[in-house]
Amino acid sequence: MLYTVGEMARLLGIAASTLRYYDQEGLLPFVERSQGGIRVFTDSDYGPLLVIGCLKKSGLSIKEIKQFIGLAEQGDASLGQRLEIFRRRRAAVERQIAELQRMLSLLEYKCWYYETACQAGTEDAVRNLRPCDIPPEWRAILEKMNLHSE
């Protein structure tokens, strides 16, 4: 099946301008053009476009993605290099997830903190809690982050 830029963008959940930008930056050498010069996407373009989006969202620059695409065009000779790119991105994303999980834990604690203060009508009700009076799940977060109740 053939898709326009807009149709493929909708399938990918991105803006059509993003696909046009990727093409302008040389990230889409595999995309065919019609006789009139219009980009024509196929079902087989979907996977590579997902990979490009994944690499971008995981923190690779356009220049680095372009280098990856160049490696892919080399075929099997670059398998090891491409594997290493994905291993590095995976490690970076794992670090980001761990950091986001720490932030989420702190946000959850602060929600509990302010919900409790709101219910009591004063922040002093939470601020003056002894550590042993803080529910264990919230106390664990405080200890893990090396914080004191605040």
Side-chain angles (χ1 to χ4, degrees), residues 108-144:
E108 288 172 341
Y109 164 75
K110 294 307 271 185
C111 285
W112 169 82
Y113 178 95
Y114 287 109
E115 286 166 359
T116 303
C118 285
Q119 289 170 355
T122 178
E123 194 172 353
D124 288 341
V126 186
R127 187 182 302 130
N128 297 331
L129 284 175
R130 296 175 303 165
C132 64
D133 293 330
I134 296 173
E137 66 270 23
W138 307 123
R139 191 170 55 242
I141 289 170
L142 291 173
E143 290 168 0
K144 189 175 183 179

Side-chain angles (χ1 to χ4, degrees), residues 10-27:
R10 274 190 296 284
L11 286 173
L12 294 165
I14 62 174
S17 60
T18 300
L19 281 180
R20 289 185 192 98
Y21 175 70
Y22 288 171
D23 187 42
Q24 180 183 352
E25 291 297 316
L27 301 183

Side-chain angles (χ1 to χ4, degrees), residues 91-106:
V93 168
E94 287 169 347
R95 286 189 301 272
Q96 290 170 334
I97 289 170
E99 180 59 27
L100 287 170
Q101 189 58 55
R102 284 189 292 275
M103 283 188 265
L104 179 59
S105 293
L106 182 57

Side-chain angles (χ1 to χ4, degrees), residues 70-90:
L71 290 171
E73 288 178 325
Q74 293 175 19
D76 290 347
S78 67
L79 284 172
Q81 291 168 286
R82 288 182 279 156
L83 172 59
E84 189 54 34
I85 289 169
F86 279 96
R87 284 181 172 161
R88 284 193 312 264
R89 291 316 323 141
R90 179 180 61 193

Side-chain angles (χ1 to χ4, degrees), residues 42-59:
T42 66
D43 290 325
S44 64
D45 295 330
Y46 183 78
L49 289 167
L50 280 178
V51 170
I52 290 169
C54 173
L55 291 172
K56 183 69 178 131
K57 288 177 187 174
S58 74

